[in-house]
């Protein structure tokens, strides 16, 4: 089966020598590169986590500012609507007062014209009555 002669120690020595050479030439540099890459990934991941945390904090801050701005704009809109409603009410009231004043002025003018018409008609009635009496009774009896 196996011969345990001088070749076995030489083969073992060659195997150990090959393992040492491969370790020195190939595995150590490869391990070093893999370790450096792993460290770079950890650093990058840590930086990314920090940036993500900063970004989330900024997003929250901006959302707070945005909600505050929305509240302020809604308050401003409500205030403007209230002022517009008040102004419209004032203008409607002023227009109603003006309409009432014009109505009263027109009513007074109509009343005045009515009085003038009555006076004019009274004068005409008196003159027509006299003319009718003169025609019926004669001019000599009417005076």
């Amino acid at each position: 089966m196996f011969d345990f002669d001088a070749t076995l120690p030489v083969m073992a020595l060659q195997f150990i020598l090959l393992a040492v050479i491969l370790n020195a030439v190939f595995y150590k540099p490869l391990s070093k590169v893999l370790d450096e890459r792993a460290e770079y990934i950890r650093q990058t991941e840590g930086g990314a986590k920090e940036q993500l945390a900063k970004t989330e904090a900024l997003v929250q801050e901006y959302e707070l500012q945005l909600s505050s701005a929305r509240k302020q704009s809604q308050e401003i809109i409500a205030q403007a609507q209230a002022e517009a409603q008040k102004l419209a009410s004032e203008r409607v009231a002023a227009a109603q007062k003006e309409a009432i004043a014009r109505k009263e002025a027109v009513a007074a003018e109509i009343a005045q014209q009515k009085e003038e018409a009555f006076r004019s008609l009274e004068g005409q009635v008196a003159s027509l009555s006299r003319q009718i009496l003169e025609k019926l009774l004669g001019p000599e009896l009417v005076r």
Side-chain angles (χ1 to χ4, degrees), residues 38-104:
E39 180 64 27
Y40 173 75
I41 289 172
R42 275 192 296 276
Q43 288 176 355
T44 305
E45 185 179 11
K49 286 181 182 179
E50 288 177 14
Q51 289 295 327
L52 182 62
K54 287 179 184 177
T55 303
E56 288 175 351
L58 283 174
V59 166
Q60 288 177 351
E61 181 182 339
Y62 290 146
E63 286 177 353
L64 287 174
Q65 289 177 354
L66 183 61
S67 68
S68 173
R70 283 182 181 158
K71 286 179 185 176
Q72 287 178 350
S73 67
Q74 288 174 350
E75 289 173 0
I76 290 171
I77 288 171
Q79 221 175 21
Q81 287 175 340
E83 289 177 10
Q85 184 66 31
K86 181 181 175 185
L87 183 61
S89 298
E90 289 174 356
R91 287 189 179 176
V92 166
Q96 287 176 343
K97 286 180 183 178
E98 185 179 336
I100 290 170
R102 283 186 183 175
K103 180 181 172 185
E104 290 174 356

Side-chain angles (χ1 to χ4, degrees), residues 16-32:
I16 292 173
L17 184 64
L18 180 63
V20 169
I21 291 172
L22 281 176
N23 190 27
V25 172
F26 183 68
Y27 294 122
K28 279 188 180 181
L30 186 61
S31 291
K32 182 179 176 184

